Amino acid sequence: MANFVSVPLRIMKKLFAFLLLFTTIVGVSQEKYPQDAFRSPVDIPLVLAGTFGELRSNHFHSGIDIKTQQREGLPIYAIADGSVTRIKVSHWGYGKVLYIAHPNGYTSVYGHLQKFGPKIQEYVKKLQYKKKSYEVEDFPDYAEIKVEKGEIIAYGGNTGGSSGPHLHFEIRSSISEKPTNPLLYGFDVRDATNPTLQKLYGFPLSEDAQINQSKNATALNFKRQKDGTFLADPVNAVGTVGFGFVGFDRQDLAANHNGVYSVQQLVNGKVYTDYDLESFSFGETRYINTLIDYYHYGKYRQRIQLLYKSPGNKLSIYNTVENEGKIDIREGLSYNVELLIKDYAGNLTKAIIPVEGKKELIKVDKDEKKTENYVIAKKPNNYDLGAAKVYFPANTFYDDFYIDLKKDDDTVRIHNSTVAAHRNFTITFDVSKYSEAERKQMFIARLDSRLRPSHASTYKRGNTFTTRTRNMGTYTLAKDTVAPRIKAKNFKEKQWLNNYHYLSLRITDDLSGIDTYSATLNGKWILMEYEPKTATLTYNFDDVILDQKECKLEVTVTDNVGNTNTLTHTFYRK
C-alpha cells in the first residue's frame, strides 16, 4: 500500500498556482506579449505622467504613471481576472499598493492608492487592527481574494512617495517578477510627438584623447535642419571618445518630460550602441548610475545618458554594443556619428555628429582633483577619520577614484555627491566622551548643502554609533531634546462631533523625525492613518463607533531618539 504524506492546504494552493502559471507561460511564450488580454486600469483616456524605464534617482521607473485628472478617488479596475497575492500599506514607496496575479502568467501592480475596494479594504482593516499598525504587508493565499476583470479594486490616490495624485501601474512576470513596459500589451496612449533633444556631449575616454582642444567632457553645439534632423558643429578629436545626450519624451496630451524608449548610436553606418527599455530586473536597476554621467548629475542634477558603457555597467538593456559604444578616432580619418532617439510609438529624433580625426593644441587640461586617498573599487577600503571610521566594502563603487575625506571634531566629510555608491558603506562614530544620558538623545545626522541635519538610521552599541548608507557627504553627531508636537486640526476639547466623519491631527518633529505613533479611544487601540507629506494623522469614525457619549482620545508620538509626547482630548458623540 502506498505511503501518503499529509500536505498543508496552504502549500497545496501555492503549488497549484505555480503549476497553473507555469503551464500558461509555456503556452503564451509563442506570443511574447498578449495584446487583448488586459483592459485599462482606468475608465479615462490614458495620459502619462511617467513612462516605463524613465531615469529616476538610483533606479529605473518600473511602470507607467497614469494621470488621474489631478484628483484622488478615481476608480481603479482589475485589468483581468486574477487573485490578490500581495498587499502593502506603507508611509513611503508605493504607499497603498496591490498586486494581482493573473492566470496567463503576469502580475499587475497598482500603487499610490487612496484606498482599496470594499472587500480588499475590509481584509486590510482587519489585518491592521490585528497587528495594531497602519503599516502592514500581507501575502494572501492564491485564490483567497479573487477579483474579476473590470471589478473596482481600489481608488486612485497620492500615498507613499507620490508627488501628486496618479496611478503607478506595472505588469510583471509572475515567476521572475521582472517588470515589462505596460505599453507592450496594447494599451492606447496618444503619441505623435517626437522626443526632444536638449544637449549633446563628447567625452575623452583614453589618456591620449581630446575633443575640441579639451580633455574634459565637452558640450557640443547643434542646430535643427529643415528636415527636422539635428546637425552638430564639426568635432575635432583623437583617441577613444564617447558621446552622450540630454533629452526627454512627451505624449500628445501631457506636458511632462518623460523618458525615451530606445536609443541607437551608429558610426559610419554601423551600430555601436542599441538599447531599449522593454524590460529590466530589479536586481540591476541601481546600475542606472552607470548609464548616466554621474559626476555631471551630482553637480547639476541633470542626467546625461551615455552612448558608451562606463566602468561597472552591468545593465541588460543593450541589444548591441560594439567596442562598448566607444569610438577610436584616428588622425586624418572622418567619422559620421548618428544618434537615433525613439519613443514607444516609434516617433524619431535624429542627430548627426561629424567628427574629424585631428590632434590639436590642448587648451583645457583634464580636470581631476588628486587627494592622498585613492579608492580601488574592487577592494575593501577602510579609513580612520578620528571622529569616525569609514568602511567601504569591495565593489561599493563602480570605478577607482581619488576620494576627498575631511574630519573636524564630531563631523566628517566623505567626498561629495558627484560619486555614486552601489553598495552600502558604514560610518562609525566614537561616542565614549558622552554620558549615557546624552547618548540617548543623540544620533548620526547627514548635513545638506545648507548644513541642515537629517536623521540617518543609527545603530547604538557600547561606545559607538554606526550608520549604513549609500550617500556620500557630510555626517555629524546631533542631539534632539525636543519631543514631537501634536495638535488637533478639525476638532476642539469637549466638542460635540455628531456629524464628523473623521478626526484629523497634525504631528511634527523638529529634528530627528517621527518614529512611531499610536492612538486609543476610550482605552481601545484605533487605526490612525499617517500622511508624512502633510504631517497629518487621520482617524475614520467608520472603523469603530463607540456607544459612549463621552470619548477620550489619547495619541502618543515618539521621535527617532525616543522623545515622546502624548495628547489627550475629550469629545462627545451620539
Side-chain angles (χ1 to χ4, degrees):
M1 186 175 180
N3 293 322
F4 291 94
V5 179
S6 176
V7 180
L9 179 61
R10 179 184 177 89
I11 296 177
M12 287 293 290
K13 286 181 178 179
K14 290 188 179 293
L15 180 62
F16 173 77
F18 174 81
L19 292 173
L20 177 63
L21 291 173
F22 177 78
T23 54
T24 52
I25 286 174
V26 172
V28 169
S29 63
Q30 295 180 4
E31 182 182 349
K32 196 170 184 181
Y33 301 107
Q35 297 300 295
D36 301 315
F38 302 130
R39 59 150 287 164
S40 172
V42 293
D43 270 350
I44 58 174
L46 290 180
V47 181
L48 304 187
T51 50
F52 181 85
E54 198 166 86
L55 309 186
R56 302 285 179 89
S57 294
N58 300 310
H59 70 284
F60 293 101
H61 190 224
S62 56
I64 56 175
D65 287 340
I66 300 173
K67 288 176 175 283
T68 56
Q69 300 176 333
Q70 298 181 332
R71 62 188 175 96
E72 298 186 44
L74 187 77
I76 307 299
Y77 302 92
I79 62 171
D81 293 351
S83 177
V84 176
T85 54
R86 184 184 180 191
I87 306 168
K88 187 174 183 180
V89 178
S90 173
H91 298 138
W92 311 106
Y94 291 163
K96 295 180 181 179
V97 59
L98 195 61
Y99 299 72
I100 297 176
H102 306 286
N104 59 358
Y106 295 100
T107 292
S108 53
V109 182
Y110 314 78
H112 304 306
L113 304 171
Q114 180 193 57
K115 61 181 180 179
F116 303 105
K119 67 183 179 185
I120 302 173
Q121 186 76 3
E122 182 182 359
Y123 181 94
V124 172
K125 194 66 66 71
K126 287 181 179 178
L127 183 65
Q128 290 172 316
Y129 270 91
K130 179 182 178 181
K131 295 189 174 183
K132 294 186 177 181
S133 173
Y134 168 71
E135 292 192 295
V136 293
E137 184 174 17
D138 192 61
F139 299 85
D141 288 335
Y142 192 84
E144 184 177 354
I145 307 176
K146 292 182 179 180
V147 298
E148 295 181 355
K149 187 174 185 177
E151 178 182 339
I152 294 178
I153 53 172
Y155 297 87
N158 187 31
T159 56
S162 171
S163 58
H166 72 275
L167 172 66
H168 174 86
F169 174 66
E170 299 180 20
I171 296 181
R172 304 180 181 182
S173 162
S174 295
I175 300 299
S176 69
E177 296 189 350
K178 284 184 65 173
T180 50
N181 193 326
L183 300 186
L184 294 164
Y185 300 85
F187 294 108
D188 182 30
V189 176
R190 281 181 53 184
D191 188 358
T193 306
N194 291 340
T196 297
L197 176 65
Q198 295 173 291
K199 296 182 180 182
L200 285 172
Y201 286 87
F203 297 86
L205 300 177
S206 59
E207 286 296 323
D208 63 336
Q210 59 173 266
I211 294 177
N212 291 344
Q213 300 182 295
S214 174
K215 284 187 167 292
N216 294 318
T218 303
L220 307 179
N221 296 321
F222 60 92
K223 293 180 180 178
R224 182 188 293 271
Q225 307 301 295
K226 290 182 179 180
D227 64 355
T229 298
F230 292 95
L231 178 63
D233 293 348
V235 173
N236 293 329
V238 291
T240 302
V241 304
F243 292 98
F245 74 96
V246 178
F248 63 87
D249 186 41
R250 285 184 54 242
Q251 281 73 46
D252 293 356
L253 301 177
N256 301 72
H257 290 191
N258 296 332
V260 302
Y261 178 70
S262 70
V263 177
Q264 280 188 323
Q265 176 189 226
L266 290 79
V267 181
N268 294 338
K270 183 177 181 178
V271 177
Y272 263 53
T273 312
D274 179 3
Y275 66 84
D276 62 53
L277 279 308
E278 177 182 318
S279 181
F280 62 87
S281 69
F282 288 110
E284 66 177 324
T285 188
R286 196 172 179 87
Y287 286 106
I288 188 176
N289 293 327
T290 65
L291 183 66
I292 63 175
D293 177 9
Y294 201 88
Y295 179 84
H296 183 90
Y297 174 70
K299 289 192 71 173
Y300 306 109
R301 311 314 288 177
Q302 184 183 62
R303 296 180 177 91
I304 302 174
Q305 289 187 230
L306 302 178
L307 302 174
Y308 62 92
K309 293 188 74 173
S310 61
N313 185 331
K314 297 182 180 180
L315 292 170
S316 64
I317 62 175
Y318 296 92
N319 302 309
T320 302
V321 182
E322 178 72 24
N323 194 35
E324 295 188 321
K326 302 172 183 177
I327 309 167
D328 296 320
I329 306 296
R330 299 182 182 179
E331 284 192 78
L333 297 182
S334 298
Y335 302 81
N336 188 65
V337 180
E338 292 179 81
L339 171 60
L340 307 179
I341 308 170
K342 293 182 181 179
D343 59 23
Y344 179 76
N347 300 304
L348 169 67
T349 293
K350 181 178 179 180
I352 298 173
I353 308 171
V355 182
E356 290 295 328
K358 186 177 180 181
K359 190 173 184 179
E360 299 180 300
L361 179 68
I362 297 296
K363 291 185 177 180
V364 182
D365 211 348
K366 190 172 184 179
D367 183 15
E368 182 180 41
K369 180 181 178 181
K370 293 186 178 181
T371 68
E372 62 183 22
N373 297 303
Y374 190 71
V375 169
I376 305 298
K378 292 184 179 180
K379 296 182 178 180
N381 295 267
N382 205 348
Y383 300 97
D384 188 343
L385 303 181
K389 294 180 180 179
V390 184
Y391 173 67
F392 300 108
N395 299 309
T396 296
F397 303 106
Y398 303 107
D399 198 10
D400 306 341
F401 70 103
Y402 286 98
I403 189 169
D404 188 16
L405 300 169
K406 296 286 175 63
K407 59 182 179 180
D408 180 19
D409 294 332
D410 283 342
T411 302
V412 295
R413 191 178 79 198
I414 305 166
H415 208 74
N416 54 54
S417 59
T418 61
V419 173
H422 189 76
R423 300 180 61 186
N424 281 313
F425 58 92
T426 59
I427 307 169
T428 302
F429 281 86
D430 182 353
V431 294
S432 57
K433 64 181 180 181
Y434 297 102
S435 68
E436 289 289 340
E438 288 178 302
R439 293 181 202 176
K440 287 181 179 180
Q441 295 178 315
M442 294 176 64
F443 62 97
I444 298 175
R446 183 170 185 256
L447 303 181
D448 65 11
S449 59
R450 297 182 182 180
L451 301 182
R452 294 173 301 188
S454 60
H455 179 265
S457 295
T458 305
Y459 176 67
K460 301 180 180 182
R461 182 176 182 180
N463 292 328
T464 62
F465 285 5
T466 300
T467 189
R468 299 180 73 243
T469 181
R470 287 173 172 148
N471 297 314
M472 308 282 266
T474 302
Y475 289 83
T476 190
L477 292 174
K479 189 175 183 180
D480 184 356
T481 61
V482 180
R485 291 178 293 275
I486 312 170
K487 184 179 180 180
K489 289 178 66 175
N490 71 335
F491 64 100
K492 298 178 182 178
E493 175 71 9
K494 296 187 177 180
Q495 183 179 354
W496 281 90
L497 305 180
N498 291 340
N499 298 320
Y500 278 55
H501 297 291
Y502 64 92
L503 298 177
S504 179
L505 301 96
R506 178 175 173 82
I507 61 172
T508 56
D509 188 72
D510 69 332
L511 189 55
S512 63
I514 303 296
D515 181 28
T516 64
Y517 58 90
S518 64
T520 60
L521 198 55
N522 290 344
K524 294 184 178 180
W525 187 89
I526 57 172
L527 176 66
M528 299 290 282
E529 182 167 338
Y530 178 44
E531 177 48 74
K533 291 191 288 289
T534 58
T536 301
L537 274 180
T538 304
Y539 166 68
N540 192 324
F541 277 120
D542 289 341
D543 285 358
V544 178
I545 301 297
L546 301 176
D547 55 6
Q548 296 99 322
K549 288 183 179 180
E550 183 175 313
C551 301
K552 182 180 179 181
L553 174 70
E554 189 172 283
V555 180
T556 300
V557 181
T558 304
D559 65 19
N560 278 297
V561 295
N563 297 312
T564 298
N565 191 13
T566 298
L567 174 73
T568 301
H569 256 303
T570 299
F571 62 87
Y572 302 99
R573 183 179 175 89
K574 289 183 180 180

